Amino acid sequence: MGKSTDYTARQPDAFGVVRYTEEEDETWAILLKRQMAAIEGKACDAYMDGLERLQFPADRIPQLDDVSRVLQGCTGWSVARVPALIPFSEFFQLLANRQFPAATFIRKRSELDYLKEPDIFHELFGHTPLLTNQHFADFTETYGRLGLAASKEERVFLARLYWFTVEFGLIDTPQGMRIYGGGILSSIGETEHALSDVPQRQPFDVMNALRTPYRIDIMQPLYYVIDSLSRLSELTRMDLMACVHDAQRMGLFEPLFPPKAATA
Ligand SMILES: [Fe+2]
């Protein structure tokens, strides 16, 4: 979440329907079509099952209520409409209540390939399919609860765990390496990059994930790999805050990326 934004979330009309412009609906259509082709054979089965259940419209931005209805039936989750940027405390509160925040705006055509702020395509296409999966849903709720109770310093460490699972997680399956992280699955470039020979891939380890620095504005140089989504359920039964404290004591690993260039 950045500090400022060029985007404004759209408000629903008197009927509770968010009306998007033709151009915005078309942006969704373009993103959906090309990303469906990009993830073929790369997204994990649970994600593809979720997509099948959600049946996103091909030609327009979905209404959040329609997505929520499906999620409710699967895992009790729903999608909550939020402004473009929300405070961290609200973000964690929503997750703890099994509500996934989504801002009702879509990226401009000039930012089709990469957008720092999470738009509705990232939230809906990237994250909601996995929220039909109990393991993923339970872990996301646990993360919300932990974040809510955490100090500012603890949240910074927790954010790395979220980053290397919910956003950028990979899963090793009998059919091969697959993607479950929504940050990858909603990005055409990262979908290609994540399974290519370029980045490092290491078995997931909580302590390592907590201690690995990341940058949000580059392709990830390293991904952590789980062997089953049930690994995420296991995490919910661990004392993750104790792990955070251990990670704080041990400190961060050396970054695998160059420092961000200073801006004038
Ligand atoms: Fe995300």
Side-chain angles (χ1 to χ4, degrees):
M1 258 174 278
K3 284 191 171 58
S4 65
T5 175
D6 291 338
Y7 290 100
T8 312
R10 292 190 172 267
Q11 301 290 322
D13 66 12
F15 302 98
V17 177
V18 178
R19 310 273 175 194
Y20 296 97
T21 66
E22 220 169 281
E23 184 176 341
E24 288 168 335
D25 278 336
E26 201 187 12
T27 300
W28 170 273
I30 294 167
L31 288 168
L32 185 79
K33 190 173 176 202
R34 71 174 202 179
Q35 205 53 26
M36 287 298 290
I39 65 169
E40 206 187 324
K42 294 192 170 81
C44 69
D45 287 347
Y47 176 88
M48 296 309 291
D49 289 348
L51 262 190
E52 183 66 29
R53 285 171 194 251
L54 287 162
Q55 290 291 319
F56 289 137
D59 58 346
R60 62 173 173 84
I61 299 173
Q63 294 294 320
L64 300 187
D65 287 350
D66 293 337
V67 178
S68 292
R69 215 165 292 128
V70 177
L71 297 183
Q72 283 281 352
C74 296
T75 54
W77 273 72
S78 61
V79 185
R81 185 173 57 82
V82 297
L85 296 173
I86 56 171
F88 282 113
S89 54
E90 193 182 332
F91 174 70
F92 290 124
Q93 183 71 67
L94 286 167
L95 296 185
N97 292 339
R98 300 177 90 84
Q99 292 179 287
F100 204 81
T104 39
F105 74 90
I106 197 156
R107 66 196 72 182
K108 298 171 192 158
R109 290 294 167 83
S110 57
E111 297 188 293
L112 218 48
D113 292 343
Y114 177 73
L115 180 69
K116 268 191 202 172
E117 301 162 58
D119 70 345
I120 196 161
F121 183 76
H122 168 76
E123 307 295 14
L124 296 189
F125 190 85
H127 292 303
T128 59
L130 256 304
L131 285 170
T132 63
N133 176 276
Q134 203 64 55
H135 300 299
F136 185 89
D138 289 347
F139 174 68
T140 310
E141 179 191 348
T142 297
Y143 177 76
R145 287 179 195 280
L146 286 169
L148 209 51
S151 68
K152 201 174 156 194
E153 293 74 23
E154 290 164 341
R155 282 178 180 177
V156 177
F157 276 80
L158 279 175
R160 294 191 191 96
L161 184 58
Y162 189 85
W163 186 263
F164 288 109
T165 54
V166 173
E167 293 291 358
F168 289 92
L170 297 182
I171 180 165
D172 199 10
T173 76
Q175 292 75 39
M177 194 66 74
R178 295 287 185 272
I179 305 164
Y180 74 92
I184 307 175
L185 289 167
S186 59
S187 156
I188 191 156
E190 193 114 11
T191 296
E192 185 67 35
H193 171 82
L195 299 186
S196 74
D197 293 338
V198 179
Q200 289 185 35
R201 285 180 287 271
Q202 292 177 13
F204 174 82
D205 172 87
V206 184
M207 290 308 300
N208 288 349
L210 289 167
R211 299 177 63 201
T212 304
Y214 65 83
R215 260 176 66 178
I216 68 164
D217 58 339
I218 55 171
M219 299 271 183
Q220 301 306 303
L222 165 66
Y223 299 92
Y224 286 115
V225 184
I226 55 175
D227 48 21
S228 159
L229 287 175
S230 62
R231 185 82 178 83
L232 299 178
S233 285
E234 285 168 29
L235 290 176
T236 68
R237 296 187 286 272
M238 288 174 65
D239 186 350
L240 289 173
M241 205 46 94
C243 297
V244 165
H245 296 153
D246 287 345
Q248 284 178 306
R249 266 191 300 275
M250 289 189 248
L252 294 184
F253 295 133
E254 279 299 311
L256 295 171
F257 46 78
K260 204 171 172 177
T263 47

